[in-house]
Amino acid sequence: MRASQFFFSTLRDTPSDAEVISHQLMLRAGLIRRLASGLYTWMPLGLRVLQKVENIVREEMNASHALELKMPVTQPAELWQESGRYQAYGPELLRFKDRHDRPFVLGPTHEEVITDIARETLKSYKQLPVNFYQIQTKFRDEIRPRFGVMRSREFLMKDAYSFHTTRESLAETYQVMYDTYSRIFTRLGLNFRAVQADTGSIGGFASHEFHVLADSGEDDIVFSNLSSFAANIEKAEAISTGERPAASVALTLVDTPNQKTIDEVSQFLNVTKDKTVKTLIVHGIADETGKHTFVALALRGDHTLNDIKAEKIDEVASPLTFASDEEIKALGLSIGYIGVHGLPIPLFVDRAAAVLADFVAGANAENQHATGVNWDRDAQITRIVDIRNVVEGDPSPDGQGTLTIKRGIEVGHIFQLGQKYSEALNCKVLGEDGKPLVVTMGCYGIGVTRVVAAAIEQNYDDSGILWPQAIAPFTVAIVAMNPAKSPRAVAASEELYAELTALGLDVLLDDRNERPGVKFADLELIGIPHRVVIGERGLDAGTFEYRGRRDSEARELTKDELFALLKA
Amino acid sequence: MRASQFFFSTLRDTPSDAEVISHQLMLRAGLIRRLASGLYTWMPLGLRVLQKVENIVREEMNASHALELKMPVTQPAELWQESGRYQAYGPELLRFKDRHDRPFVLGPTHEEVITDIARETLKSYKQLPVNFYQIQTKFRDEIRPRFGVMRSREFLMKDAYSFHTTRESLAETYQVMYDTYSRIFTRLGLNFRAVQADTGSIGGFASHEFHVLADSGEDDIVFSNLSSFAANIEKAEAISTGERPAASVALTLVDTPNQKTIDEVSQFLNVTKDKTVKTLIVHGIADETGKHTFVALALRGDHTLNDIKAEKIDEVASPLTFASDEEIKALGLSIGYIGVHGLPIPLFVDRAAAVLADFVAGANAENQHATGVNWDRDAQITRIVDIRNVVEGDPSPDGQGTLTIKRGIEVGHIFQLGQKYSEALNCKVLGEDGKPLVVTMGCYGIGVTRVVAAAIEQNYDDSGILWPQAIAPFTVAIVAMNPAKSPRAVAASEELYAELTALGLDVLLDDRNERPGVKFADLELIGIPHRVVIGERGLDAGTFEYRGRRDSEARELTKDELFALLKA
């Protein structure tokens, strides 16, 4: 591509409303333009990247015998009513009516549509397993779209759905997709991790997320330093360690006026936070009369509650709902001074809190805390549970090594769905025994637009983007120095452009009528991996000035050296 | 592709709700599936065709230096309010509100969005001309979606928009797009015609439509038998022929009780229809007081009114609106007996009607017609106009030859837009003289999904589809006869499959566990251009049984002959 025939719209300044680096750089490099909140146009430069990601995803899905199709963006609401998600999905599901007043949705995902197709076209076990996928526009009406294409409303997603007669067959295809995703993210040149994820309220059999590692990631992902264990923080089990020591001091009430938080109390009483216990009151499930009940959750003061784990306690309402100030007062408790002894409600204690002795907790009385609290003697545990987030250094749940926590950006998710949708939509095939059976499903997603932003979050410097080669908008840029005065440099740049293009490389010949400094700054901002500058001096010496985008300085290469490097 | 790893869902019977052959065959061959009215899923087989069309369009647009980008499907209503189309577009524009109650539309086209991008990114004449395009999902809320993907609600379109400082530059890019479209439809293997089209109410400078010729087409397109003249019927000028003869008989009123239509009157009075004149009453423009006026339009009895032409008469209201029965009576006229003499309103007479003498017309009196009517003597012409549709045999407007009329399916449209959108949205760049100037625009569309249906309307037989090779889902199908009993045939089919795939051909190895008759019927229905059958007899003789999809019978070819044929 000649730059003079392309369209660049780089910005020197960082747009003020862009919070994260990928959003800033995508706007500055002119990859995208904002149309409205959460809606972006992919400009020619950005679309080249997006299409490269799309093609790698397509090639690998095809290689794994998934079959591409394309479902409509607009979907009839009836199917969502059949699955029950028309009510359950919440306001992210954009609903509208057509000119005949019939209700539709803009598809945030396509389980309902694919299951409808499957129930009409799949007749026999002989047709299974089959794995359909599409790369299609999705719409989610985010309450607060942000981070550019990282959390936009309209985005491109690869979503696949597989159909099976048995869970074993599902597990096989699931493994194929796990491997396919690993190949995809490897080819994309990204540093990623596959981690176990919670199967959540859908209740499938297994689930993995694929995360691109980046400090700016919104998710915490957890690894063992010795084994292959990896999970997201929602899923990672916190193992109980050690035995509870015997009580050694008496329970004492102390005045702690206006000391409500763990930080305040531990400082005021001069104890470390890991010797304190905090108590949270949440909604329990309704009783026989339909009235709210309440339960208490106790954690070590330095630990944080894991909502997903808490929701799994049978007695706890889902979604997790904290008691309001009024509800807490109605229970006779004092906000900021809730403790574990004398509680009028069931008490679920985290494993780490349950092995403490002689600890500090609220006194269940205004402006007072208790020291020397001990379980059994002073407070009754309803059940010991795992409800905290693991922290760095915790033992790995597989018993091997300790845990490390890193930040990740979720770019893929694979899920053994089971029969949630096939049951709701009555999707059956004839089994080998001639009897109809409800099919078992898997689903597999990749956020194609999000991959582009995640790649930048992982690969940038002060000058701009550092694209992995496989998805760079152009692989090589060629710049002739002083084109107006050096016809030789122009001719040599044209020749090199033709030769490298013939090799199948994506070459940008920067023939714009701009100063070298402007061109270099643009090429660095845009993140082209290889830059070749052609000038009189090099032509005399028979060399090209080469600089890799990650190199600290340029070097002179002979033509053979240059070609060897670019072919590699 | 191995058929056993692909997904076929052919139907033996024609779906009852499919009216046109392309819709019937697309459903029967399993190319598409209906999700809801006007919404279709492209199944794996159909998507292969759609993607081949898409790729040819993309390659040719890129070769013409158009720059691909991708705008959102959802668009803020504000932009449509700025252009004035939020009100003007009518109910095909699907409007909805997001969760924050902000109004949006599902894009039926993207002039507003691209002009918004242009006004923000284009600064100087130096950046022009530039031609942006996308291949993107569109939505039009058709009142009665039908003919499958031919007139669906959600569809794939290639839309391009060019920006210029001068009309000359626009005309140059317009010609480039004309040539590009010609290359695209030629590569697609379609019999097509580019025809002049009306620029309509937008009032651009020039417009051409690209039609695929097919008897089932919804549009009439008109050619000269001697010159390159070609236009759609809306645009084709009807040339006046001959001089008006002198009046030779007196005007006579005759009783024609209950004879109201031209057919009835010409039969009753025993005159040919081309010796009669029909008079239509339509709304004129409002007078100074804002009240409706009315005007009369007179045409030869055997001719039909061309609405587009009639709307161009300054005194006629646009859109063309026929007077109601009440309005006609209020003018003192008799429905079915309206004539040209003594009319109380202006009378615009078509060129062909204006050269008649001694003709028959309504008498403007109940149950009476007039014979021997003559212009000037009996009826006053306000102005002679061109308001009829041309008919087969009319002289070509360029003076060369006569006109032929064929049916076409519109698959492309190029349009010199001018400044309609750039003025409305204030899209300016700095000109060479340093002063801001409003840019001039062109737009260029191809209905990508519609091309697939149009290709079928032009290419089918009793057994199914006859794909042009460039867009066939597979180019060659290989079938081994008696695979269970002939390992030799299976081995030879595998070998041929590998060899042809290595040549870059899209090969389908039909290894399904089905009877040959089922396979052959499917392959014909699906329309694969080349079929090779491998059996014991051929293996003994060293030949392959080959049949082209359009051939009436199979023939035996040696391997060399087969490869030569498939490579050609």
Side-chain angles (χ1 to χ4, degrees):
Chain A
M1 178 70 71
R2 288 165 196 280
S4 59
Q5 290 175 339
F6 199 66
F7 183 79
F8 292 96
S9 58
T10 52
L11 303 173
R12 288 288 155 255
D13 300 319
T14 299
S16 59
D17 59 337
E19 300 169 63
V20 295
I21 192 74
S22 61
H23 189 194
Q24 291 167 6
L25 287 173
M26 288 184 81
L27 289 171
R28 282 190 53 206
L31 301 180
I32 54 171
R33 281 200 71 82
R34 182 183 182 278
L35 175 63
S37 173
L39 299 179
Y40 291 88
T41 294
W42 286 81
M43 297 296 286
L45 193 69
L47 190 63
R48 291 178 72 92
V49 179
L50 187 68
Q51 287 179 337
K52 288 187 181 189
V53 175
E54 197 180 325
N55 287 340
I56 288 173
V57 171
R58 179 174 286 118
E59 283 173 17
E60 293 298 336
M61 289 299 291
N62 290 347
S64 297
H65 303 304
L67 297 173
E68 188 176 1
L69 44 61
K70 192 165 194 168
M71 295 177 264
V73 176
T74 43
Q75 306 178 4
E78 294 156 27
L79 286 178
W80 287 72
Q81 282 154 350
E82 254 191 279
S83 75
R85 288 209 292 181
Y86 196 64
Q87 300 309 323
Y89 206 92
E92 279 182 23
L93 179 66
L94 196 133
R95 298 145 214 254
F96 65 90
K97 293 195 169 171
D98 74 359
R99 65 191 291 170
H100 300 300
D101 220 33
R102 283 189 289 249
F104 284 84
V105 306
L106 279 189
T109 174
H110 280 73
E111 280 86 359
E112 282 81 358
V113 176
I114 196 73
T115 309
D116 178 61
I117 291 168
R119 70 179 166 184
E120 291 187 36
T121 58
L122 298 178
K123 308 292 178 198
S124 157
Y125 72 95
K126 293 179 193 164
Q127 293 170 284
L128 304 187
V130 65
N131 189 5
F132 294 114
Y133 82 98
Q134 63 174 353
I135 300 177
Q136 174 66 308
T137 301
K138 306 277 184 199
F139 193 94
R140 283 186 198 163
D141 201 1
E142 295 277 352
I143 188 162
R144 195 185 155 215
R146 56 187 180 151
F147 306 151
V149 297
M150 191 89 86
R151 189 175 294 279
S152 57
R153 295 201 282 182
E154 192 175 314
F155 55 96
L156 198 63
M157 189 164 165
K158 187 287 295 172
D159 46 327
Y161 308 89
S162 66
F163 296 86
H164 310 268
T165 52
T166 64
R167 273 174 68 160
E168 291 68 35
S169 166
L170 167 60
E172 274 171 33
T173 296
Y174 185 83
Q175 184 61 45
V176 169
M177 283 295 104
Y178 184 100
D179 297 339
T180 304
Y181 275 38
S182 300
R183 284 202 311 275
I184 287 171
F185 294 115
T186 301
R187 277 188 64 187
L188 290 170
L190 299 173
N191 184 8
F192 71 96
R193 288 285 186 290
V195 304
Q196 294 174 32
D198 193 73
T199 53
S201 55
I202 303 181
F205 314 128
S207 173
H208 280 85
E209 291 168 357
F210 287 76
H211 285 265
V212 168
L213 299 187
D215 293 339
S216 59
E218 286 191 278
D219 295 312
D220 280 321
I221 55 179
V222 178
F223 320 91
S224 164
N225 65 342
L226 290 183
S227 75
S228 65
F229 175 83
N232 70 15
I233 195 129
E234 293 172 350
K235 172 79 173 176
E237 187 183 359
I239 297 295
S240 129
T241 46
E243 292 277 298
R244 184 195 305 163
S248 65
V249 295
L251 183 144
T252 311
L253 298 187
V254 293
D255 286 342
T256 51
N258 292 318
Q259 311 298 313
K260 297 186 172 184
T261 66
I262 291 289
D263 279 336
E264 289 163 350
V265 171
S266 67
Q267 202 169 0
F268 188 81
L269 298 179
N270 198 25
V271 294
T272 54
K273 288 192 277 184
D274 59 357
K275 293 277 186 287
T276 69
V277 165
K278 60 185 168 193
T279 310
L280 308 166
I281 312 296
V282 300
H283 285 191
I285 52 168
D287 66 14
E288 310 81 56
T289 69
K291 229 180 67 177
H292 266 315
T293 63
F294 295 90
V295 301
L297 306 175
L299 293 154
R300 225 168 69 181
D302 58 332
H303 285 155
T304 56
L305 181 69
N306 182 316
D307 292 11
I308 304 290
K309 290 180 179 177
E311 283 173 3
K312 289 199 176 154
I313 299 175
D314 285 344
E315 293 87 343
V316 169
S318 180
L320 190 73
T321 310
F322 286 94
S324 66
D325 288 0
E326 288 67 37
E327 289 169 337
I328 289 173
K329 285 177 192 157
L331 289 169
L333 299 173
S334 300
I335 294 155
Y337 304 94
I338 305 172
V340 292
H341 68 285
L343 268 181
I345 53 178
L347 174 62
F348 298 94
V349 179
D350 181 67
R351 289 169 176 170
V355 294
L356 290 183
D358 301 336
F359 56 86
V360 170
N364 285 332
E366 200 72 25
N367 291 325
Q368 283 199 321
H369 277 79
T371 63
V373 187
N374 282 279
W375 299 116
D376 300 344
R377 186 190 75 183
D378 307 319
Q380 303 315 308
I381 296 176
T382 305
R383 206 157 68 241
I384 296 172
V385 289
D386 170 23
I387 52 171
R388 71 171 173 98
N389 289 316
V390 295
V391 295
E392 191 96 17
D394 270 343
S396 177
D398 65 355
Q400 300 175 60
T402 57
L403 295 178
T404 301
I405 300 183
K406 291 200 174 174
R407 306 290 283 175
I409 299 167
E410 186 188 339
V411 288
H413 195 164
I414 60 176
F415 203 103
Q416 293 189 20
L417 265 181
Q419 302 184 317
K420 175 182 160 75
Y421 295 97
S422 49
E423 253 168 16
L425 275 77
N426 197 29
C427 178
K428 292 178 181 170
V429 297
L430 282 187
E432 255 183 287
D433 58 1
K435 290 181 191 155
L437 63 86
V438 174
V439 300
T440 295
M441 292 171 60
C443 67
Y444 320 92
I446 290 179
V448 179
T449 41
R450 179 177 259 217
V451 162
V452 177
I456 296 174
E457 292 290 339
Q458 193 177 73
N459 299 280
Y460 67 93
D461 65 13
D462 289 345
S463 305
I465 304 166
L466 302 164
W467 288 117
Q469 186 152 323
I471 58 175
F474 299 98
T475 311
V476 192
I478 302 172
V479 180
M481 293 300 282
N482 263 321
K485 293 181 187 164
S486 174
R488 211 158 56 119
V490 172
S493 69
E494 290 281 350
E495 193 185 335
L496 184 63
Y497 173 56
E499 287 181 274
L500 292 177
T501 302
L503 284 179
L505 292 171
D506 247 338
V507 190
L508 180 74
L509 177 65
D510 196 345
D511 58 351
R512 290 178 297 163
N513 186 20
E514 296 281 1
R515 288 179 295 109
V518 170
K519 291 186 184 181
F520 293 167
D522 273 356
L523 296 175
E524 286 177 8
L525 175 57
I526 290 167
I528 300 180
H530 307 282
R531 188 186 79 191
V532 182
V533 178
I534 298 179
E536 287 284 333
R537 209 169 13 166
L539 288 170
D540 287 341
T543 59
F544 297 95
E545 184 196 305
Y546 168 83
R547 184 170 171 181
R549 179 64 183 82
R550 290 171 188 264
D551 297 346
S552 55
E553 35 192 76
R555 52 193 158 129
E556 296 294 321
L557 296 180
T558 65
K559 186 167 174 178
D560 285 350
E561 288 168 340
L562 177 68
F563 274 62
L565 185 148
L566 293 177
K567 279 189 208 167
Chain B
M1 178 70 72
R2 286 166 198 280
S4 58
Q5 290 176 338
F6 198 67
F7 184 78
F8 292 96
S9 59
T10 52
L11 304 173
R12 288 286 155 257
D13 299 318
T14 299
S16 59
D17 59 338
E19 299 169 64
V20 296
I21 192 75
S22 60
H23 189 194
Q24 291 167 5
L25 287 173
M26 289 183 81
L27 289 172
R28 280 191 53 209
L31 302 179
I32 55 171
R33 281 200 70 82
R34 181 182 182 279
L35 174 63
S37 174
L39 298 179
Y40 291 88
T41 294
W42 287 82
M43 297 297 285
L45 193 68
L47 189 62
R48 292 179 71 92
V49 179
L50 187 68
Q51 288 180 336
K52 289 188 180 188
V53 175
E54 196 180 328
N55 286 340
I56 288 173
V57 170
R58 178 174 286 118
E59 283 174 16
E60 293 298 335
M61 290 299 291
N62 289 347
S64 297
H65 303 304
L67 297 173
E68 188 175 0
L69 44 61
K70 193 164 194 170
M71 296 177 265
V73 176
T74 42
Q75 308 177 3
E78 295 156 26
L79 287 178
W80 288 72
Q81 281 154 350
E82 255 192 279
S83 75
R85 288 208 292 183
Y86 196 64
Q87 301 309 324
Y89 205 94
E92 279 183 24
L93 179 66
L94 195 134
R95 298 144 215 255
F96 64 90
K97 294 195 169 172
D98 74 359
R99 65 191 291 170
H100 301 300
D101 219 31
R102 284 189 289 250
F104 284 83
V105 307
L106 279 189
T109 173
H110 280 73
E111 280 85 0
E112 282 81 359
V113 175
I114 195 74
T115 309
D116 178 60
I117 292 168
R119 69 180 168 184
E120 292 187 35
T121 57
L122 299 177
K123 307 292 178 199
S124 157
Y125 72 95
K126 291 178 195 166
Q127 293 169 283
L128 304 186
V130 65
N131 188 4
F132 295 114
Y133 80 99
Q134 64 175 352
I135 299 177
Q136 174 65 308
T137 301
K138 308 277 184 201
F139 193 93
R140 284 187 197 158
D141 201 0
E142 296 277 353
I143 188 162
R144 194 186 156 215
R146 54 188 181 149
F147 306 151
V149 297
M150 190 88 86
R151 189 174 294 280
S152 57
R153 295 202 282 181
E154 191 175 315
F155 55 97
L156 198 63
M157 189 165 166
K158 189 285 296 173
D159 45 328
Y161 308 90
S162 67
F163 295 86
H164 311 269
T165 53
T166 64
R167 273 175 67 163
E168 292 68 35
S169 166
L170 169 59
E172 273 170 34
T173 296
Y174 184 82
Q175 184 61 45
V176 169
M177 283 297 103
Y178 183 100
D179 297 340
T180 305
Y181 275 39
S182 300
R183 284 202 310 276
I184 288 170
F185 293 114
T186 302
R187 276 188 65 186
L188 290 170
L190 299 173
N191 183 9
F192 72 97
R193 288 287 186 288
V195 303
Q196 294 173 32
D198 193 72
T199 54
S201 54
I202 303 181
F205 313 129
S207 173
H208 281 85
E209 291 167 358
F210 287 75
H211 285 265
V212 168
L213 300 186
D215 293 339
S216 58
E218 285 192 279
D219 295 312
D220 280 321
I221 55 177
V222 178
F223 320 92
S224 163
N225 64 342
L226 290 183
S227 75
S228 65
F229 175 82
N232 70 15
I233 195 127
E234 294 173 350
K235 172 78 173 175
E237 187 182 359
I239 298 295
S240 127
T241 46
E243 293 278 298
R244 184 196 305 162
S248 66
V249 296
L251 183 144
T252 310
L253 300 187
V254 292
D255 286 341
T256 52
N258 291 319
Q259 311 296 313
K260 296 185 174 186
T261 67
I262 290 289
D263 279 336
E264 289 164 349
V265 172
S266 66
Q267 201 170 358
F268 189 79
L269 298 179
N270 199 23
V271 292
T272 54
K273 288 192 275 185
D274 60 357
K275 293 278 187 285
T276 68
V277 165
K278 60 186 166 192
T279 310
L280 308 165
I281 311 296
V282 300
H283 286 190
I285 53 169
D287 65 15
E288 311 81 53
T289 69
K291 227 180 69 181
H292 266 316
T293 62
F294 295 91
V295 301
L297 306 174
L299 293 153
R300 225 169 69 181
D302 58 331
H303 285 154
T304 56
L305 180 70
N306 181 316
D307 292 10
I308 304 289
K309 291 180 178 178
E311 283 173 2
K312 289 200 175 152
I313 299 174
D314 285 344
E315 292 86 343
V316 169
S318 180
L320 190 73
T321 310
F322 287 93
S324 66
D325 287 0
E326 290 66 37
E327 288 169 336
I328 289 172
K329 285 177 192 157
L331 288 169
L333 299 172
S334 300
I335 294 156
Y337 304 94
I338 304 171
V340 292
H341 68 287
L343 270 180
I345 53 176
L347 174 61
F348 298 93
V349 179
D350 182 67
R351 289 168 176 170
V355 294
L356 291 184
D358 301 335
F359 57 83
V360 170
N364 286 332
E366 200 73 25
N367 291 325
Q368 283 201 318
H369 277 79
T371 63
V373 187
N374 281 280
W375 300 116
D376 300 344
R377 187 190 73 182
D378 307 320
Q380 303 313 310
I381 295 176
T382 305
R383 206 157 67 241
I384 296 172
V385 289
D386 171 23
I387 52 172
R388 72 172 173 96
N389 289 316
V390 294
V391 294
E392 191 97 16
D394 271 342
S396 177
D398 65 355
Q400 300 176 60
T402 56
L403 296 178
T404 301
I405 299 182
K406 291 199 175 175
R407 306 291 283 174
I409 299 167
E410 188 189 339
V411 287
H413 196 165
I414 60 177
F415 203 102
Q416 294 189 18
L417 265 181
Q419 302 184 315
K420 176 181 159 77
Y421 295 97
S422 49
E423 253 168 15
L425 275 78
N426 196 30
C427 178
K428 292 177 181 171
V429 296
L430 283 186
E432 254 184 288
D433 58 2
K435 291 181 190 154
L437 63 85
V438 174
V439 300
T440 295
M441 293 171 60
C443 69
Y444 320 92
I446 290 179
V448 179
T449 39
R450 181 178 259 217
V451 162
V452 177
I456 296 173
E457 291 290 338
Q458 195 178 72
N459 299 282
Y460 67 92
D461 65 12
D462 289 345
S463 305
I465 303 167
L466 303 164
W467 289 116
Q469 185 153 325
I471 59 175
F474 299 99
T475 312
V476 192
I478 301 171
V479 180
M481 292 300 282
N482 263 323
K485 293 181 188 163
S486 173
R488 211 161 54 122
V490 172
S493 69
E494 290 281 349
E495 193 186 335
L496 184 64
Y497 174 56
E499 286 182 272
L500 292 177
T501 301
L503 284 179
L505 291 172
D506 247 338
V507 189
L508 180 75
L509 177 66
D510 196 345
D511 58 351
R512 291 178 296 164
N513 186 20
E514 295 281 3
R515 287 180 296 111
V518 171
K519 292 185 184 182
F520 294 166
D522 274 355
L523 297 175
E524 287 177 9
L525 175 57
I526 290 167
I528 300 180
H530 308 282
R531 188 187 78 192
V532 182
V533 178
I534 298 180
E536 287 285 334
R537 210 172 8 171
L539 287 169
D540 288 339
T543 58
F544 297 95
E545 184 196 305
Y546 168 83
R547 183 170 172 181
R549 178 63 182 83
R550 290 172 188 265
D551 297 346
S552 56
E553 39 193 73
R555 54 196 157 126
E556 296 293 322
L557 296 181
T558 65
K559 186 167 175 179
D560 285 350
E561 288 168 340
L562 177 67
F563 275 60
L565 185 148
L566 292 177
K567 280 189 206 168

